[in-house]
Amino acid sequence: MVNLTRIYTKTGDDGTTSLGDMSRTSKNDPRLEAYATVDEANSSIGVVLALGQIKDPQIVKLLVRVQNDLFDVGADLCTPVIDDPKIEPLRVIESQVTYLEEQIDFYNKDLEPLRSFILPSGTPAAALLHVARTVARRAERNTWHAIHQFGGGVNSLTAKYLNRLSDLLFVLARFENKTKGDVLWVPGANR
């Protein structure tokens, strides 16, 4: 359990921060960019839950589970992968990715096939889910940047998880628009 007794430490005032292994790094480190954007994605999902007026308790439960998993993703990203660590760090595992895939399949099965890209709009929940989706995509890109810079020092399952999460958020946005219908992109409509 995490025990936060002090909120400010002043240790980051020099432009550095601690990673999960207590080593110091620049606040511009791609790993920090990745897990900070994961935090932003988590907050975006919090906004969905607070303002989206989601009626289905199973979707609420799913999104709360995802929020918890996103803390796992952030913990993984902030702890460098090393051989034989003294304490086994929290890592994203394949079953977390598989769970997202199962949820994507479940919520997508009754949706109309897409014949065009859709405009990110619709119900409040759908619009907010689209915002969360774009933040998850940015978190994935930032994670790939960290993976490419640090190679095996960053768990690549974190990027895979974020990729599936953005797909899930897209499907959930469509599911929330099921009664209203998706607004389809019409290429060149206003030329």
Side-chain angles (χ1 to χ4, degrees):
M1 181 60 70
V2 175
N3 186 15
L4 299 175
T5 56
R6 252 181 32 198
I7 301 306
Y8 65 91
T9 63
K10 300 182 182 181
T11 59
D13 292 351
D14 65 352
T16 66
T17 192
S18 291
L19 292 172
D21 64 356
M22 303 315 290
S23 63
R24 302 291 293 175
T25 192
S26 166
K27 289 191 178 186
N28 293 320
D29 187 311
R31 295 168 295 187
L32 177 62
E33 291 286 336
Y35 69 76
T37 312
V38 167
D39 185 36
E40 187 181 347
N42 202 337
S43 296
S44 293
I45 292 171
V47 173
V48 172
L49 290 167
L51 302 177
Q53 305 164 13
I54 296 174
K55 308 277 190 285
D56 186 333
Q58 290 308 111
I59 293 178
V60 171
K61 184 177 174 182
L62 168 59
L63 290 174
V64 170
R65 177 177 173 158
V66 164
Q67 284 191 294
N68 194 77
D69 282 353
L70 284 173
F71 267 93
D72 292 353
V73 173
D76 191 334
L77 287 168
C78 85
T79 307
V81 175
I82 60 170
D83 292 330
D84 300 320
K86 291 179 186 174
I87 298 172
E88 192 63 35
L90 182 61
R91 297 286 179 216
V92 172
I93 59 176
E94 190 67 43
S95 64
Q96 290 172 289
V97 175
T98 301
Y99 176 78
L100 294 182
E101 291 170 349
E102 291 166 353
Q103 298 307 303
I104 292 166
D105 293 342
F106 177 80
Y107 286 101
N108 194 49
K109 72 178 185 281
D110 294 326
L111 297 176
E112 293 291 321
L114 280 176
R115 309 239 184 285
S116 179
F117 289 103
I118 62 172
L119 302 182
S121 61
T123 67
L128 292 168
L129 283 160
H130 279 297
V131 172
R133 169 187 59 80
T134 63
V135 177
R137 283 279 188 223
R138 183 161 31 91
E140 179 196 0
R141 290 189 306 272
N142 289 345
T143 298
W144 278 115
H145 182 191
I147 290 167
H148 290 145
Q149 181 161 339
F150 292 96
V154 177
N155 179 8
S156 63
L157 275 178
T158 55
K160 189 174 179 181
Y161 181 92
L162 293 166
N163 178 275
R164 296 310 184 284
L165 174 59
S166 61
D167 292 339
L168 173 63
L169 295 170
F170 175 78
V171 167
L172 290 177
R174 292 198 66 222
F175 186 84
E176 285 294 320
N177 273 342
K178 208 160 110 168
T179 56
K180 185 175 182 126
D182 291 315
V183 179
L184 298 180
W185 171 48
V186 180
N190 300 309
R191 287 191 203 190

